[in-house]
Amino acid sequence: MKKVRFKCVCNASPETFDFFTRRYIGYLRTRYGFFQIVAADGTRLLEGRNEGFGWFTEEERGKFLATAEVLLTQHLLSRGATSPRRKQKRRRPSRRGRKQRPT
């Protein structure tokens, strides 16, 4: 499985982070003193209280980001999901045997 990356999509209230492998896998969000970690399929993996009102404190942010990464990865693996395979390019037919257009 690819390394999990995250991106802060809103740093004001509510502070929100989206998590990705090659595709979107879930988010971490805090609002009104509560946080939640939600997978892309809508499953709530963890929720509870945090110290900040609409944002994480400096001490909490790293802890919750690490927790979200672990829970989202475990959720993906438990569902048997892996990173999506690359689409195969369609091969063009060879030019051998084709009639040339008159010029």
Side-chain angles (χ1 to χ4, degrees):
M1 177 170 279
K2 281 281 199 179
K3 184 175 178 173
V4 175
R5 297 177 293 121
F6 63 89
K7 179 180 178 183
C8 181
V9 293
C10 183
N11 58 2
S13 181
E15 186 172 1
T16 306
F17 293 89
D18 285 346
F19 286 78
F20 303 89
T21 52
R22 287 187 182 176
R23 60 184 175 152
Y24 173 77
I25 59 171
Y27 68 88
L28 164 65
R29 173 182 135 160
T30 183
R31 188 172 194 165
Y32 302 124
F34 291 93
F35 74 91
Q36 56 185 343
I37 300 170
V38 181
D41 63 4
T43 306
R44 284 194 176 147
L45 303 175
L46 184 64
E47 53 188 358
R49 295 188 64 87
N50 63 312
E51 292 178 22
F53 185 68
W55 52 87
F56 294 108
T57 63
E58 291 299 320
E59 298 82 28
E60 290 177 319
R61 187 173 292 112
K63 180 179 78 169
F64 284 122
L65 287 171
T67 302
E69 180 179 351
V70 169
L71 289 175
L72 289 166
T73 302
Q74 287 175 350
H75 181 71
L76 278 178
L77 292 174
S78 70
R79 296 183 52 91
T82 58
S83 296
R85 295 179 186 205
R86 290 185 181 187
K87 291 182 180 178
Q88 300 239 343
K89 291 184 178 179
R90 293 181 75 185
R91 297 185 96 183
R92 298 176 85 187
S94 68
R95 293 184 177 224
R96 286 186 222 166
R98 280 191 179 173
K99 293 183 181 177
Q100 296 292 327
R101 290 185 181 173
T103 55

